[in-house]
Amino acid sequence: MSEPRARALPALASALWRYVPVVLLLALWQAASDFGWVSTAVLPPLLSVLSSGYDLITTAEFWEHTAASLYRGSVGLLLSIVIGGALGIGMAWWRPVNYLLSPIVELFYPLPKSALIPVTALWLGFGDTSKILLIFLGCMLPVTIGAFNGARGSEQTLVWSARSLGASRLQTLRDVVVPSAMPELLNGIRTALALSFILLVSSELIVARKGLGSMIGFLGDGGNYDAMFAVVLAVAMLGFFADRIYQVMMQRALRWRE
Amino acid sequence: MAVNGAQIVIDRLSHVYRPPHGRPVLAVDDVSLAVSHREFIALLGPSGCGKSTLLYLIGGFLPTETGTITVDSRPIAGPGPDRGIVFQHFALFPWKTVRANVMYGLKRSGLPRAEQEKRAQAFIDLVGLCGFEDSFPSQLSGGMKQRTAIARTLAIDPDILLMDEPFGALDAQTRSLMQSELLSIWQRSPKTVIFVTHDVQEAVFLAQRVAVMSARPGRIKALVDVNIDRGDPHLFRSKPFVDKVDEIWELVRAEAIKAQQGKER
């Protein structure tokens, strides 16, 4: 019984050990203002950023902004996963769908998605829906391409095996093609997750009255740099934890690969 | 063509393989063959001779364009659970455990769930994988993977078993063990088996009849009956076995040389 715990502790220690460079970077940040290497107007001391961050998280306002951002990000990302994944698998499975969509995908893939910020604002205004549409459009293509490549790489003999074991074409799609696509699809979703943070914060910075991005904007405009840096840190941590949680989920889903 | 008692009748079958890039290749050329119920027949030939293509046509994985294939007098239309297949590289679902792989075909059998599970376990036990039910294919050796694939196919009780060089990816010891096991499974519950191989000894050891195929385009060059006593403990050194291997090897040798020259050209 004690064995897993005995292994868990060194695992935790080594995980913490990995982040020592981050601690060093934070120490350097504090030292830079303590020793006057950088003007505090440019880079406020870490400790004052942390203390104003602490003040911030005790306000309801901060959590309202966080909730708005999380809502937009998760709905947009979820839509891009469902629709983008379905399109990618459809392109791999039905040739006409591929003929129809692949030139469109090729054309839009290199487009910097932030260029759509004014477009979606023009269409849907400053509220949630314009951000959701932006994140959906911006995050969809990596998911589509991951699903397409994964599904297209599904082995012929696996498809044939399923068919000779009595599966219909649609059952084969569900039981063989979709799981075959999973490793690449999940990688595409990871890229989409990172993109969703970029698009979320940049769109909120430019056109929004709510959300962490807009908070960074108005704290900066008001000269409240300690708090502004605190929100930037909060966004960074949010992104980091979202990615870590996603990676753990992905490893679990793909544990058959070993 | 009507052949009394034949289960699978292949009549004047040709198949052109059209690669996405490059010119079309005549892979199977005017093949006619009748296979009886519960017969074990080997398709033997050099690599690239079209023997696997012929098997895939019988499986219904490739469309029949020229000629006909009938099973129990009905033309085949696509793959079906009456014709189970075992591939050289196992083709197990890597995201499913051994048990889930074996269960896959049973799910559509209409049997009650408990019955399905009992049946799956019986076939897992039959191929000696008891204790590995919850392992994923990536955790198994090549021999164990192929045992799983065989159990998965046998579990749905197909009338016909199509085997595409099933032991070709295994080491020599495992291969000879699996050959004996396949033979004993077949002797206990006979099925029609079409077994593709390029190994003369394997063909003579397993099959009642060997169809020797020519180098591309694939034609049936000779049909050789194999009547040997497989109970003989010194079978591989016995005169009937050695003579049969020599006889067939003579037929194959010329084709193997042709196939080799074809590749070098």
Side-chain angles (χ1 to χ4, degrees):
Chain A
M1 280 306 279
S2 64
E3 222 196 344
R5 191 177 297 174
R7 263 185 283 122
L9 264 177
L12 184 68
S14 80
L16 290 177
W17 182 245
R18 276 195 61 218
Y19 291 108
V20 166
V22 179
V23 177
L24 289 176
L25 190 67
L26 293 175
L28 199 64
W29 178 353
Q30 181 62 32
S33 49
D34 282 354
F35 296 106
W37 300 335
V38 181
S39 152
T40 53
V42 178
L43 188 69
L46 174 65
L47 290 176
S48 16
V49 169
L50 289 180
S51 92
S52 69
Y54 179 78
D55 293 339
L56 213 59
I57 59 172
T58 53
T59 62
E61 198 196 350
F62 172 79
W63 293 108
E64 277 166 30
H65 286 292
T66 306
S69 289
L70 286 180
Y71 168 70
R72 294 159 175 172
S74 46
V75 173
L77 188 61
L78 206 67
L79 280 174
S80 74
I81 291 170
V82 172
I83 296 174
L87 286 182
I89 286 167
M91 281 167 66
W93 188 244
W94 289 286
R95 195 161 292 182
V97 180
N98 187 21
Y99 285 142
L100 187 70
L101 293 182
S102 69
I104 301 175
V105 170
E106 275 167 38
L107 196 70
F108 280 93
Y109 189 64
L111 174 83
K113 303 305 176 300
S114 48
L116 292 174
I117 294 172
V119 178
T120 59
L122 177 70
W123 288 345
L124 296 170
F126 283 20
D128 289 340
T129 46
S130 68
K131 314 295 176 296
I132 290 171
L133 180 68
L134 176 78
I135 290 166
F136 160 62
L137 290 175
C139 297
M140 187 173 71
L141 291 189
V143 180
T144 302
I145 288 169
F148 174 70
N149 287 336
R152 221 178 30 162
S154 54
E155 274 176 60
Q156 180 77 82
T157 54
L158 285 190
V159 172
W160 285 354
S161 290
R163 298 280 280 129
S164 86
L165 290 165
S168 67
R169 276 177 61 84
L170 225 56
Q171 283 167 335
T172 306
L173 177 68
R174 181 194 65 191
D175 297 344
V176 178
V177 178
V178 174
S180 296
M182 230 11 117
E184 291 209 43
L185 173 59
L186 292 180
N187 268 326
I189 294 174
R190 194 176 167 206
T191 308
L193 179 66
L195 266 176
S196 73
F197 271 87
I198 297 170
L199 290 171
L200 177 71
V201 173
S202 47
S203 68
E204 285 177 345
L205 256 174
I206 299 172
V207 283
R209 292 182 207 95
K210 265 229 149 64
L212 292 172
S214 74
M215 215 177 171
I216 293 171
F218 69 67
L219 288 171
D221 292 344
N224 194 347
Y225 295 126
D226 288 359
M228 185 192 85
F229 270 86
V231 179
V232 172
L233 266 188
V235 171
M237 278 168 66
L238 216 57
F240 172 77
F241 283 114
D243 189 60
R244 293 305 303 179
I245 291 166
Y246 182 74
Q247 275 200 65
V248 170
M249 282 163 49
M250 188 167 145
Q251 270 159 17
R252 280 195 69 96
L254 298 180
R255 86 200 132 94
W256 49 269
R257 287 208 297 187
E258 313 259 291
Chain B
M1 186 168 86
V3 178
N4 286 338
Q7 183 181 25
I8 305 169
V9 178
I10 300 167
D11 191 23
R12 308 210 63 176
L13 183 72
S14 296
H15 186 81
V16 177
Y17 171 64
R18 294 182 185 84
H21 309 285
R23 39 194 188 100
V25 179
L26 184 61
V28 175
D29 185 21
D30 199 26
V31 166
S32 295
L33 179 70
V35 184
S36 315
H37 280 276
R38 300 183 171 183
E39 182 179 1
F40 197 129
I41 187 168
L43 298 179
L44 180 72
S47 56
C49 77
K51 54 194 191 299
S52 292
T53 306
L54 183 55
L55 195 76
Y56 299 158
L57 284 161
I58 300 168
F61 306 122
L62 301 173
T64 313
E65 287 162 351
T66 315
T68 56
I69 305 171
T70 57
V71 172
D72 295 318
S73 320
R74 282 187 302 273
I76 54 158
D82 58 328
R83 284 154 289 140
I85 186 150
V86 176
F87 291 103
Q88 182 177 7
H89 295 289
F90 328 121
L92 294 172
F93 305 123
W95 49 85
K96 287 185 187 287
T97 60
V98 167
R99 183 185 287 116
N101 265 286
V102 177
M103 286 285 289
Y104 186 75
L106 288 168
K107 280 190 299 186
R108 276 171 291 276
S109 61
L111 292 170
R113 176 87 190 175
E115 199 59 38
Q116 290 177 17
E117 274 166 14
K118 229 175 90 187
R119 201 174 156 80
Q121 191 61 51
F123 280 96
I124 289 168
D125 294 347
L126 176 77
V127 298
L129 281 177
C130 185
F132 292 93
E133 291 87 348
D134 297 317
S135 302
F136 286 102
S138 59
Q139 299 166 316
L140 303 177
S141 69
M144 291 159 93
K145 285 180 199 169
Q146 198 55 297
R147 284 164 207 267
T148 308
I150 290 171
R152 181 178 70 176
T153 304
L154 290 177
I156 59 165
D157 196 22
D159 290 340
I160 297 164
L161 196 53
L162 307 174
M163 306 189 91
D164 185 18
E165 301 200 40
F167 309 141
L170 307 179
D171 62 78
Q173 285 82 11
T174 312
R175 188 186 315 151
S176 107
L177 262 168
M178 298 279 290
Q179 287 165 352
S180 306
E181 281 177 31
L182 175 65
L183 205 54
S184 84
I185 289 171
W186 177 74
Q187 279 158 351
R188 267 175 288 160
S189 65
K191 292 179 181 303
T192 311
V193 181
I194 302 183
F195 190 101
V196 165
T197 181
H198 60 254
D199 179 338
V200 179
Q201 289 219 2
E202 183 172 64
V204 173
F205 177 62
L206 290 170
Q208 297 170 302
R209 202 151 59 111
V210 177
V212 179
M213 291 186 68
S214 64
R216 184 179 290 162
R219 296 193 188 101
I220 292 182
K221 183 180 181 178
L223 282 163
V224 182
D225 286 310
V226 182
N227 293 306
I228 51 172
D229 173 20
R230 294 195 171 83
D232 187 340
H234 306 292
L235 177 69
F236 290 102
R237 277 175 283 149
S238 72
K239 186 156 170 29
F241 183 84
V242 174
D243 287 351
K244 194 54 82 177
V245 169
D246 282 346
E247 178 192 340
I248 294 175
W249 180 231
E250 277 309 312
L251 291 164
V252 172
R253 189 198 311 272
E255 300 306 327
I257 291 166
K258 262 193 254 168
Q260 200 58 42
Q261 286 165 343
K263 259 182 217 155
E264 281 162 10
R265 224 189 299 129

